[in-house]
Amino acid sequence: MSGVNRIEACRLCGGALSEIALSLGEQPISNRLPRAPKRGRAVAAVPYPLGIVVCEACGLAQLAHELAAEEHYHDQYTYVSGASSTWVDHCREYADQLIEQFGLGPEDLVVEAGSNDGTLLKFFAARGIRVLGIEPSGNVAAIARQNGVPTLTAFFNEETARKIAECHGRPKLFIGNNVLAHVPDTDGFLQAAGELILEEGALCFEFPTFTRILTHRYFDTIYHEHYCYLGIGPLAKWALTHGMIVADAQLQPTHGGSLRLFMARQGRTPDAAAQARMNEYLAEEAALAGVAPWQELDRWLDDWRSRFRGTVSELRRTGKSVSAYAAASKATVLSNYLGLTAADVDWCCDASPLKQGRLIPGSNIPIVAPAALRDTPPDAIIVFAWNIMDEIADLVAANVVKQTLLIRPLPEIEVRTTGKG
């Protein structure tokens, strides 16, 4: 198939790969949202294989096929970090914690790769700390600059790291916030980041942990932008052979369960509390190693899909209107895996103006402004961004003028009533 390649070796260590352990079929690119046509039919989204393989050497779970990064990150990118109040609050606390942990001051530089609209970095800048964002999508990089966050429009790699060192100096802290999984060359990215930081500097990555995908069935985290599904174990093995260590890992509530992982140069020793945390996480990873847990998830999904389709079909059969909230990447994965279309879901609200007036790819569900909740209140709303369920429930309760069913898809189908009436 044109434009997609089956990978032959692990992105992190170059090791041999398993056969496909879980398949979500063929799916369109999650964040490439076509514009809603003024007349006629929408252009069909091109689907690509979406499946998981596992490295037999380091244990890293990753996509069996890959698209070039330029297919995902471009001047029409539609995700902006600042659209979710839950995420903005997380970034504010995140910055405060790192400033205190690393004793950051005005003389220090913080670099973030995949900085998007600058939501995280602006909280460092507000405290007088020098910041620099690296963002390959030109449109959101421009938003960051408008918000006062210095941002280079570029992919982070060895060449970009060299330019940063020459023009801005070396950072004390390098952040990859939900970005390490988005890199096709994981090894090259880590090497460039490790060489860029000061001798006493650190790398800080947040990412949804693969264990939560398996234990909580968060399969909608799997999409083409996410080239790999990370854990401490594979990264610790990489660090050992590249002059670094994993110094700490802390569980975060974001995205249904993420890790905040710190890497530093060898010569430091994790403190007892950090080592105890990492030992606990490593034991969990060891219990879920290999292909068998992914195969088990694959079997569970077959049954879950039948049950969720039945829930939506029954609502439609009884004359109920069904809509959705949040056109996140999850929405593309969920709607396409479930086979939902605009015949099943009338529209999907999203607060981002960059997404409004477009369609969820593959399913062609129209994306509209949240005002639709007041203008045409639905009987039921599928919460595609189930990880911010409480935020969305509050928005629905404040705007819908009748009782409404909220349907959370994962980790198990949950239906609750909210709204007025």
Side-chain angles (χ1 to χ4, degrees), residues 357-394:
R358 296 176 179 267
L359 304 171
I360 295 176
S363 64
N364 286 332
I365 298 169
I367 304 169
V368 301
L373 293 172
R374 296 189 302 272
D375 299 339
T376 55
D379 297 310
I381 297 173
I382 300 171
V383 181
F384 281 139
W386 47 262
N387 54 303
I388 54 171
M389 177 77 166
D390 292 339
E391 177 183 333
I392 292 172
D394 290 343

Side-chain angles (χ1 to χ4, degrees), residues 3-14:
V4 63
N5 297 307
R6 176 71 185 263
I7 64 169
E8 298 179 354
C10 175
R11 293 179 172 87
L12 184 60
C13 75

Side-chain angles (χ1 to χ4, degrees), residues 35 78 80 82-83 143 350-358 367-370:
R35 294 191 181 277
T78 55
V80 287
I143 294 171
D350 198 282
S352 171
L354 295 179
K355 296 183 180 182
Q356 294 161 14
R358 296 176 179 267
I367 304 169
V368 301

Side-chain angles (χ1 to χ4, degrees), residues 32 37 235 267 275 333 354-355 359 384 415:
R32 183 177 289 173
L235 291 172
Q275 192 61 62
V333 178
L354 295 179
K355 296 183 180 182
L359 304 171
F384 281 139
V415 180

